[in-house]
Amino acid sequence: MYETSPSATRPRDDLLGAYCALDTNSAGLIADQVLPPFQVAQEDGMYSVIPREAYLQRVDTKRAIGAPAASSDWSPDSDTFSLANYAFKSPAFERAAKIYGSFMRVQDIEARRCALKIALDREIDTAAAVFNTTTFGTNNVNTFTIAGGSEWDVSTGAGKPVTDIMTARTMHVENGFGEPNALIISFYLLARLGLCTQIRDFLGDQVDQPGLLPLPTLQGIFGLEKIIVAKGIYNSARAGQTPVWSRIWSNDYAMVCRIEDSDDIETPQLGRTLRLMDKEPTLESYVIPDPKGEMVVADDIAAPKLMKTPAGVLIRNTAA
């Protein structure tokens, strides 16, 4: 069995390209689409927050000659953040070079495997933060529940996703966030929207049988700029146990929200993936004697962070 603690590690900047080459889209991972990256200067701290009631408050900015400029009279608020250290190691065995042609290629592959493990863990953390019935737990303010029999996947076609999304839009605006721009939905639900009579009525003669509908078509129907589709799955069982496969983003929920990727973290938005400023993931390796090879170690510092009052409405009971 290979050693699990290093005797001497060495930096492996040559593996960073392989690590960063992981295609999260092909893996169905959406964390950075839902919470776009935002760089912070330190690993934990406090930042100022403009209350949403103040952000769009009407202020009379007209002034007389010689009068001072107007200003807001709201009291500043604050929130805190703390980054997490995601790390994973994976062995690259010299004998694998007989398959892949070179030991360097083997190490590149293990670097990508490390990247996938870390991305998967961060995806699960992000989904838990966003599809959260405690954070989004105030009925008819930032959440509501679809009545039984009207779920979006029922075979009768009785689901009314357009109505439900419009209800969420209205709540989003009335909660002071302005118009939402995104829908977060699982691939399972996306694939079943074509069952809904309400959707088919919008399409008319454009579709003659249920199927996977194009995202631009649904964006037009729902009036949203983005439809972010979650496809990721994971095994929650431990090694040696029967696999337990689950969707990372539950079919039981969908979310209408405001996603921003500007350099202003105080605008109304769902949240951000916080990353340490000018800090790339760290790759290292150390020799393992039996079987011969090197242990590739990846280290990344980041954290999903919802805003103090996140701009989103959680739709519950979307699947029967």
Side-chain angles (χ1 to χ4, degrees), residues 39-247:
Q39 292 193 334
V40 294
Q42 55 194 50
E43 292 192 28
D44 55 71
M46 180 180 295
Y47 65 98
S48 63
V49 173
I50 301 176
R52 69 187 190 284
E53 60 269 20
Y55 193 82
L56 294 176
Q57 180 188 28
R58 163 74 187 279
V59 176
D60 187 354
T61 61
K62 300 178 291 295
R63 67 174 177 177
I65 296 174
S71 63
S72 295
D73 57 3
W74 54 271
S75 298
D77 202 352
S78 63
D79 198 6
T80 60
F81 68 91
S82 180
L83 304 189
N85 187 180
Y86 293 88
F88 187 79
K89 59 187 178 183
S90 188
F93 298 121
E94 290 183 5
R95 290 195 62 175
K98 295 181 178 181
I99 301 173
Y100 293 106
S102 74
F103 187 50
M104 186 64 212
R105 187 179 174 194
V106 176
Q107 293 175 90
D108 280 347
I109 290 169
E110 295 307 328
R112 286 198 297 273
R113 286 176 179 160
C114 288
L116 177 60
K117 287 292 188 181
I118 289 175
L120 194 66
D121 194 25
R122 188 162 60 80
E123 182 86 3
I124 293 168
D125 289 345
T126 302
V130 174
F131 280 5
N132 188 300
T133 57
T134 299
T135 303
F136 300 92
T138 306
N139 197 37
N140 296 323
V141 175
N142 60 13
T143 189
F144 68 95
T145 302
I146 295 172
S150 296
E151 298 91 342
W152 296 354
D153 64 341
V154 291
S155 59
T156 62
K160 293 181 169 56
V162 180
T163 301
D164 295 331
I165 288 171
M166 183 56 67
T167 297
R169 291 185 73 119
T170 301
M171 290 167 55
H172 195 277
V173 172
E174 291 179 349
N175 208 19
F177 296 125
E179 287 291 344
N181 63 357
L183 170 68
I184 305 169
I185 187 173
S186 73
F187 181 80
Y188 168 85
L189 287 176
L190 176 73
R192 281 153 182 79
L193 288 177
L195 294 172
C196 300
T197 301
Q198 189 179 60
I199 294 288
R200 294 171 65 79
D201 287 345
F202 268 89
L203 296 173
D205 295 335
Q206 296 179 51
V207 60
D208 58 2
Q209 60 183 354
L212 189 62
L213 301 175
L215 291 185
T217 299
L218 293 172
Q219 288 169 330
I221 292 173
F222 297 145
L224 294 169
E225 298 171 23
K226 307 173 185 179
I227 297 178
I228 302 174
V229 184
K231 300 178 183 178
I233 63 171
Y234 75 105
N235 172 25
S236 60
R238 295 184 178 276
Q241 296 179 339
T242 301
V244 179
W245 300 105
S246 302
R247 291 186 181 273

